[in-house]
Amino acid sequence: MYYKSTRDSSVKITSAEAIVQGISKDGGLFVPSEIPSITMDEIVKLGDMSYSERAAYIFSKYLTDFTDAEIRYCTDNAYTSKNFATENIAEISHLFDGTYILELWHGPTCAFKDMALQILPYLLTTSAKKINIDKKIVILVATSGDTGKAALEGFADVPGTQIMVFYPEDGVSPMQKRQMTTQDGENVAVCALKGNFDDCQTGVKQIFGNAEIAAKLEENKLMFSSANSINWGRLAPQIIYYISAYATLVKDEEIKAGDKINVVVPTGNFGNILAAYYAKNMGLPVNKLICASNTNKVLTDFINTGVYDRNRDFVTTISPSMDILISSNLERLLYLMCGQNDAQIREWFGSLAKTGRYEVTDDIKAKLKADFAAGFCTDDETKAEIKKIYDKYSYTLDTHSAVAVKVYEDYKAATGDDTKTVIASTASPYKFSASVLEAIDGKKPEMDEYAMIDRLNELSGYEIPESLAALKTKPVRFSGVITKEEQKDYVLKELGL
Ligand SMILES: *Cc1c(COP(=O)(O)O)cnc(C)c1O
């Protein structure tokens, strides 16, 4: 198997090269040349394996240039109970009839980003070694809150790497901000940007594509890579937990081998749900992929109309990790759906860059409708959902996962579809305590973040994640704020160029 660029199908590189480069020089994203398959027999067998073994099994289908030993080195180091608060790595909670919550937030930073970012540094450094890269790898990250911390935690003090994280000054929760600004490690830097997530992401993409900066890096034996979900090494690990969850449900006799399931994903950059789409196309029996958005519902509109239009107000919500109007990974989906037609992708994404809008063909609209359903909910609906699920099932959702549950309930009510359903739960409620407490207690909590954590502990009974409690006494290391115009110079300065 080799990897192509969505904007130039003639690109032909190995997975190691794709992971090291992060994004293609033509601005496209790397995708495998074909989607490997997995049979129901293979899926059932996964049920008897550890998470690390399941991961290695599935990775071997995508990272065909890696040896088995290299893959096991990566999965064994990432998916251990040293890094995750649970032996199973991803837990499944039974919510109500035929509805399962896939808890992806038992990692060190309490969000699902850990599922990929705990392993990415191993994949990246192994890849670099395989292809004889002797340059220091500089990771630039744009974050809406969770990726930044998860990437910092993954890359802190990893030899041969340096990492810089940009977050929107007013676009992250106080806890997310504190997690990032107190980060340990000699090779890390964190900076707030005056603007929103899209500004951070656009800036990072421009720096990646800047020829003058590239020349300077080359002279100094440095190279950029990405830890955002534009990097294939971020996406591949996310395919695993959907297949793994299915294997567990079969083993636990919640479903029968071959039964279809729905998958609901609270969505921002379209990475997590795209991974589920890959799982489906490998052979996982998925009925509908349900894309859940908050008020920034550009994806809901796109799936329902085939028109992608980012010309709208950006709204700051209580599910900030989904406050995104340019969903990068949609490019990969459309590339697959239009039969790997790179010219078509260049046209649509050129139009997106120029006018903020594109409209797909009728053929693609039909394909979107066949695979996906989409819905959104407001902040008030999100809070009401948290309260309802808490009261009814004594289960405490974070704000992002609550969007998914609400959109799923709306979908079920509208369609009558009673297929068993896995809902991706993307963050611990502790990470968004203020909004979760406001939802449950019915009033804004007037206390500091740590008192909120204690109160949430009383209400939920969930163990307080150690990593969050420890922030209280950690000194802030990074307090810089810059404008988007200053981002390039900031990077050069950090690199000593
Ligand atoms: C990143 C994130 C999302 C959105 O995931 P995408 O892969 O960007 O669609 C949803 N919820 C939480 C908590 C996140 O951190």
Side-chain angles (χ1 to χ4, degrees), residues 111-113 146 266-272 321-322 324 400 426-427 432:
F112 90 97
K113 304 292 197 290
D146 291 331
T267 304
N269 224 353
F270 211 76
N272 203 4
S321 305
M322 294 155 67
I324 293 175
H400 304 76
T426 49
F432 302 94

Side-chain angles (χ1 to χ4, degrees), residues 206-433:
Q206 279 166 0
I207 294 170
F208 274 134
N210 184 308
E212 178 200 342
I213 299 182
K216 275 194 185 159
L217 292 182
E218 185 68 38
E219 276 166 33
N220 290 277
K221 285 198 154 239
L222 299 167
M223 69 178 289
F224 283 139
S225 189
S226 166
N228 282 99
S229 56
I230 53 179
N231 192 320
W232 181 254
R234 260 291 295 283
L235 211 78
Q238 300 184 357
I239 299 170
I240 289 153
Y241 45 73
Y242 292 109
I243 300 175
S244 169
Y246 189 96
T248 301
L249 290 174
V250 171
K251 187 178 163 68
D252 294 350
E253 298 183 355
E254 296 287 345
I255 57 174
K256 286 197 297 297
D259 283 355
K260 286 199 167 179
I261 56 167
N262 290 326
V263 175
V264 189
V265 186
T267 304
N269 224 353
F270 211 76
N272 203 4
I273 194 165
L274 181 73
Y277 179 81
Y278 267 91
K280 175 175 183 175
N281 283 278
M282 286 176 77
L284 191 72
V286 174
N287 175 40
K288 283 283 178 194
L289 295 161
I290 301 169
C291 175
S293 298
N294 63 26
T295 307
N296 296 297
K297 61 180 182 70
V298 64
L299 286 168
T300 311
D301 294 343
F302 175 66
I303 288 167
N304 290 331
T305 66
V307 177
Y308 195 95
D309 190 353
R310 60 154 304 203
N311 300 305
R312 58 181 79 203
D313 288 337
F314 181 96
V315 185
T316 302
T317 73
I318 59 171
S319 42
S321 305
M322 294 155 67
D323 291 346
I324 293 175
L325 291 179
I326 306 175
S327 294
S328 308
N329 277 295
L330 207 51
E331 180 163 341
R332 286 190 166 112
L333 177 77
L334 295 177
Y335 183 71
L336 290 173
M337 283 188 161
C338 70
Q340 311 204 346
N341 181 344
D342 53 353
Q344 180 68 83
I345 295 297
R346 287 196 299 273
E347 184 195 320
W348 286 335
F349 286 83
S351 163
L352 179 67
K354 252 203 231 110
T355 68
R357 182 182 186 283
Y358 60 86
E359 178 166 4
V360 295
T361 58
D362 287 347
D363 173 49
I364 304 268
K365 286 179 194 173
K367 285 184 178 158
L368 286 169
K369 282 243 158 63
D371 277 317
F372 291 89
F376 77 103
C377 77
T378 64
D379 277 359
D380 284 344
E381 288 171 319
T382 306
K383 282 186 251 174
E385 190 67 19
I386 292 171
K387 169 83 172 148
K388 180 177 128 186
I389 297 295
Y390 177 79
D391 287 346
K392 256 178 130 166
Y393 306 104
S394 304
Y395 189 91
T396 310
L397 289 163
D398 95 287
T399 47
H400 304 76
S401 311
V403 168
V405 178
K406 167 69 176 148
V407 167
Y408 171 60
E409 290 196 311
D410 289 349
Y411 165 84
K412 199 172 171 183
T415 60
D417 178 4
D418 61 0
T419 307
K420 290 191 175 172
T421 295
V422 170
I423 302 178
S425 172
T426 49
S428 156
Y430 283 110
K431 208 161 180 183
F432 302 94
S433 326

Side-chain angles (χ1 to χ4, degrees), residues 106 158 259 491:
H106 294 289
V158 172
D259 283 355
V491 170

